[in-house]
Amino acid sequence: GLGSLGAAVVGPVLQAMRSDAYDRPSGRQGLGARRGGTLDYRGGRGSHKATRTITKEQRQEIKEAFDIFDSEGTGRMDYHELKVAIRAMGFEIKKPEALELMARHDSEETGYIGFEAFEEILAQRYAAQDPVDEMKKAFELFDEERRGKISFRNLRRIARDLGEKLTDDELRGMIEEFDQDQDGEINEEEFISIMKQTSLY
């Protein structure tokens, strides 16, 4: 399986590839063009203070991480939980930085921060990621055999893992759409160009 972090990256990529392949005016309109609702970039609502725009999937990941570390359901986390949670999300953080984040977000010096502060901290980390590095990581999730290429079989297995009901024809169409060197598979360079065409990164 992909794990939740993998699914959060791969799901939107798959949907973006699919909508890109079938959004083109080539008479293939009927195959579920779904650019609209899939890549949902919301900056937050009302009192929400997150300074960076994050994807729906990233917001879900942040919420899940917060809930895991807030095991008593108090709606808050302390310095140690913050440090471990940030590392669990795949980001580096050293003790002085974690202390500085606590000081900045815990203005009343309670020793705790709430979900909104946690979300803002993680949103900033997501925004600071190098997009090409992230694209390469996403490519590795698809390229299970480490061959440097994504095959039809890889794509079909991932679609199945994510519960995406895509026909073999749709999957082949997605590969054809982006397979610039016509070898029937998608290499890293082709994958990065897909990512740059979508609004994912």
Side-chain angles (χ1 to χ4, degrees):
L2 287 164
S4 66
L5 284 176
V9 174
V10 170
V13 175
L14 202 59
Q15 290 170 341
M17 284 170 70
R18 178 194 197 180
S19 65
D20 236 48
Y22 297 109
D23 266 2
R24 313 263 160 143
S26 58
R28 294 187 287 181
Q29 226 57 9
L31 285 163
R34 19 185 231 171
R35 176 147 261 152
T38 306
L39 308 172
D40 184 3
Y41 274 61
R42 284 173 305 190
R45 309 174 296 283
S47 66
H48 192 76
K49 290 204 301 272
T51 52
R52 304 286 191 279
T53 316
I54 52 175
T55 65
K56 195 167 56 174
E57 287 77 18
Q58 287 168 340
R59 180 168 291 144
Q60 183 63 31
E61 269 178 45
I62 292 169
K63 179 80 180 86
E64 282 170 10
F66 185 84
D67 290 346
I68 288 166
F69 289 95
D70 174 28
S71 51
E72 278 122 48
T74 57
R76 56 188 203 169
M77 60 168 51
D78 65 18
Y79 152 74
H80 293 290
E81 290 164 333
L82 172 67
K83 195 173 62 172
V84 177
I86 288 175
R87 285 182 182 156
M89 298 287 283
F91 297 105
E92 290 293 310
I93 183 161
K94 294 191 165 62
K95 186 176 175 178
E97 193 186 353
L99 289 168
E100 195 268 319
L101 285 169
M102 283 301 290
R104 193 187 321 157
H105 291 278
D106 176 24
S107 52
E108 281 156 32
E109 299 185 9
T110 59
Y112 296 94
I113 59 163
F115 174 67
E116 208 167 277
F118 181 68
E119 185 177 53
E120 190 166 331
I121 290 165
L122 265 301
Q124 287 167 355
R125 303 223 154 217
Y126 277 121
Q129 288 176 318
D130 175 356
V132 173
D133 277 356
E134 294 310 300
M135 291 174 199
K136 287 181 175 177
K137 280 184 204 158
F139 179 80
E140 284 168 15
L141 291 170
F142 280 90
D143 174 27
E144 279 197 313
E145 292 106 28
R146 300 280 175 267
R147 295 184 310 116
K149 289 177 182 289
I150 299 169
S151 66
F152 169 73
R153 206 175 73 240
N154 294 144
L155 211 52
R156 185 167 59 180
R157 191 199 55 72
I158 282 167
R160 200 170 291 147
D161 272 8
L162 293 171
E164 289 285 332
K165 293 182 172 48
L166 291 161
T167 66
D168 286 0
D169 281 348
E170 283 180 286
L171 290 165
R172 283 199 185 90
M174 283 159 62
I175 287 180
E176 277 164 30
E177 179 69 41
F178 300 107
D179 175 21
Q180 289 154 10
D181 61 9
Q182 303 294 296
D183 67 349
E185 299 184 306
I186 294 170
N187 62 32
E188 189 176 80
E189 200 178 318
E190 290 162 348
F191 184 79
I192 287 172
S193 80
I194 295 167
M195 300 299 285
K196 286 180 174 168
Q197 280 177 47
T198 71
S199 52
L200 279 170
Y201 284 94

